[in-house]
Amino acid sequence: MTQTGVPLRQGLYDPRFEHDACGVGFLVDLKGRSSHTMVEQGIRVLMSLAHRGACGCEKHTGDGAGVLLQMPHRFLAEVCEPLKMALPAPGEYGVGMVFLPADSADRLGCERLLEQIVGDEAQQVLGWRTVPTDNSPIGPTAKAAEPVIRQIFVGRDAAIESESDFERKLYVIRKRVEAAIKASDIRRRAAFYIPSLSCRTVVYKGMLMGDQVATYYPDLTHPALETALIMVHSRFSTNTFPSWARAHPYRYLCHNGEINT
């Protein structure tokens, strides 16, 4: 045993092949400067993790991959303008990335429940945006389970004094919506999932391979989409089946699977 706790070379084992970062990556600008370059670099890291991700018998259906970014306010303000949606200042609104059933009636039922609970919690629905996607590179299994992906914009009530209080309110909204839809009679309610609902961050992810993420989400290649940090993950699960919801990263972290052992 070496001083680092790694076994000595023996049999078929060679410590030279020990590597860390099992499918995860994180980049940050130490001076807090947001740029699209950070997004591009993060995507390159994600693509370099292809050997740490998994795919099924279909080589184009991945186990899951995605990125977490700071709220890209300049980009969102630009793409919401044609929708006649004027966004308030950063910190005054939250964005929810929402996976919805493909069936229009079920999708509308989920959206109405979400809007109702936003109102119940005294916040304002500013509007919805359908997220552009390109599913041409993904395999049949991923396409068969593909959700409709939309962003909901939630305005902060004037009675909420701080951004942290607003973030907590968005958490309450998400948990209430998840419970309400689970208990509803919406037929395809299992397809509903909220990857992120925050005034600080947004998550783009899916049942994808690392090199499919930027193609699937054209938002990620838009020059106005900027961040000072990016967290990326390419999933390789050994004990659960892939799904759009199970893709990493989650809302606050990504991990290599050992967190539960």
Side-chain angles (χ1 to χ4, degrees), residues 27 35-45 220-221 223 230:
L27 292 172
S35 70
H36 185 65
T37 299
M38 288 293 295
V39 181
E40 293 173 333
Q41 291 175 342
I43 295 297
R44 284 202 296 270
V45 171
L220 296 174
T221 62
I230 181 167

Side-chain angles (χ1 to χ4, degrees), residues 247-260:
H248 288 49
Y250 296 121
R251 302 168 191 94
Y252 287 96
L253 58 83
C254 59
H255 63 82
N256 68 352
E258 307 307 322
I259 195 170
N260 58 354

Side-chain angles (χ1 to χ4, degrees), residues 99-101 110 181-182 184 186-193 245:
F99 290 171
L100 294 156
C110 291
I181 288 181
K182 184 177 181 180
S184 75
I186 296 171
R187 287 185 306 154
R188 295 175 177 83
R189 59 189 176 274
F192 177 85
Y193 183 77

Side-chain angles (χ1 to χ4, degrees), residues 6 44 63 126-127 136 144 159 223-224 249:
V6 176
R44 284 202 296 270
D63 202 359
L126 301 176
S136 60

Side-chain angles (χ1 to χ4, degrees), residues 77-185:
E78 182 176 321
V79 296
C80 285
E81 185 177 1
L83 304 175
K84 309 300 182 185
M85 191 187 339
L87 297 181
E92 297 295 322
Y93 70 97
V95 176
M97 184 74 83
V98 188
F99 290 171
L100 294 156
D103 178 83
S104 58
D106 290 344
R107 179 167 70 253
L108 185 59
C110 291
E111 290 175 355
R112 284 176 174 170
L113 255 178
L114 178 46
E115 290 180 350
Q116 176 188 324
I117 290 172
V118 169
D120 290 347
E121 292 294 332
Q123 308 310 301
Q124 179 186 3
V125 176
L126 301 176
W128 288 86
R129 171 183 180 248
T130 299
V131 178
T133 57
D134 175 2
N135 68 5
S136 60
I138 66 176
T141 300
K143 283 182 181 177
E146 184 181 15
V148 172
I149 303 174
R150 303 194 75 199
Q151 289 171 332
I152 185 171
F153 294 81
V154 180
R156 171 176 157 184
D157 185 73
I160 296 181
E161 296 182 353
S162 72
E163 185 181 293
S164 294
D165 288 341
F166 184 41
E167 190 75 359
R168 282 188 284 271
K169 176 61 72 174
L170 294 171
Y171 173 83
V172 170
I173 290 170
R174 178 174 65 81
K175 297 301 285 186
R176 282 195 60 192
V177 171
E178 289 170 346
I181 288 181
K182 184 177 181 180
S184 75
D185 59 359

